Amino acid sequence: MSAPPGRPEPMNAVPVRHPGRWVAVAVLAVLAAMLVHTILTNDGFGWPVVGDYLFSPPVLNGLKNTLVLTVLSMVIGIVGGVLLAVMRLSPNWILSSVAALYIWVFRGTPLIAQLLFWNFLSALYPRLSLGIPFGPEFVSFDTNQLINQFAACLLGLGLNEAAYMAEIVRGGIASVEHGQTEAAGALGMSRAQTLRRIVLPQAMRVIIPPTGNETISMLKTSSLVVVIGYFELLTSVQRIYSVNFQTIPLLIVAAIWYLALTSILSVGQGFIERRYGRGLQTGPPGPSLFGFLRRTPEEAPA
């Protein structure tokens, strides 16, 4: 039927075809089917062995040590990072230079080398003491007893993380407008009060997301302590498969626990980001693996 006089002819819109997308979907579907097939049919994965050792006492003990290392190392890293960031931004050039030197050294050397250094510190200093410089010693300790494997792990992981956290905190502090610092100074606030009451609360919105990423990374990085023989998750499965030679199944056990813990931390990070990101969302949230956590009450399904 033709359009009434004076009106344009209706347009028949033809959707744009995307054959490349369908080809990509077909290829991915075939690859996914092949992956599922090999996982289910390849006896080398040893799923019965995975089930036997997933909750075994040695694995759970190693998992506990991994969590303890992660938490304590991040505490050391966050506290040290805040102090280093404040020193790095200090107008005192000595404090700023010391912080810059620390960051340069600990970020510029491999973490494995730092772990080995702390573990073998007794080769450099057989005894550590407290006293008057160049004078008498009040108390002395055997280095091997003072810095055992656990202490070496904490020093290596925590002090290395402090260097990275310092740059994260420094970036968060720098994101706060300098005019607010000047206004706080005009009101009579000291630098410490300004930092605590004005700058850090606003900088948290910038600091929190990368700190969450660093925590997840620390959970996996803690496996590097295997080089000094500390008993954590990866060390526990290594000791088991060195006896029963079930290497792949035991590595799958470790991978399952790492994936489970990182998923939990990712969910927690999402909640914390929502808490500190209120008022910053200017549009609809983008897609996310845990996008359901970002729904507003109006977006929730009925």
Side-chain angles (χ1 to χ4, degrees), residues 80-102:
V82 172
L83 294 176
L84 287 169
V86 174
M87 291 172 61
R88 188 74 176 85
L89 296 172
S90 173
N92 187 316
W93 69 270
I94 296 179
L95 294 179
S96 179
S97 300
V98 169
L101 178 64
Y102 180 99

Side-chain angles (χ1 to χ4, degrees), residues 63 92 105 116 141 162 181 191 205 220 247:
L63 178 65
N92 187 316
V105 171
L116 291 171
F141 304 95
T181 304
R191 287 181 58 87
R205 295 177 175 179
K220 297 172 290 183
T247 305

Side-chain angles (χ1 to χ4, degrees), residues 163-245:
Y164 289 91
M165 283 302 305
E167 293 299 281
I168 292 174
V169 175
R170 185 172 68 90
I173 293 175
S175 68
V176 180
E177 295 182 2
H178 185 64
Q180 299 193 41
T181 304
E182 294 177 343
L187 293 175
M189 289 188 180
S190 64
R191 287 181 58 87
Q193 290 175 328
T194 302
L195 182 67
R196 187 177 69 254
R197 299 180 181 179
I198 306 297
V199 177
L200 281 181
Q202 298 181 71
M204 290 297 289
R205 295 177 175 179
V206 179
I207 295 173
I208 286 295
T211 302
N213 292 334
E214 287 295 310
T215 304
I216 295 173
S217 177
M218 177 61 72
L219 176 69
K220 297 172 290 183
T221 304
S222 62
S223 62
L224 293 179
V225 301
V226 67
V227 299
I228 60 177
Y230 184 71
F231 190 81
E232 46 78 55
L233 179 57
L234 191 60
T235 310
S236 67
V237 300
Q238 283 183 331
R239 292 184 181 181
I240 296 173
Y241 71 62
S242 65
V243 175
N244 62 11
F245 304 105

Side-chain angles (χ1 to χ4, degrees), residues 205 273-274 276-287 294 296 299:
R205 295 177 175 179
E273 287 184 12
R274 286 186 61 189
Y276 283 97
R278 291 176 181 174
L280 293 181
Q281 191 76 30
T282 57
R294 300 182 178 179
T296 60
E299 295 171 330

Side-chain angles (χ1 to χ4, degrees), residues 106 109-120 152 156-157 160 221-228:
F106 281 86
T109 55
L111 176 57
I112 289 181
Q114 296 175 35
L115 288 168
L116 291 171
F117 175 83
W118 291 113
N119 190 56
F120 296 109
L157 295 173
N160 178 267
T221 304
S222 62
S223 62
L224 293 179
V225 301
V226 67
V227 299
I228 60 177

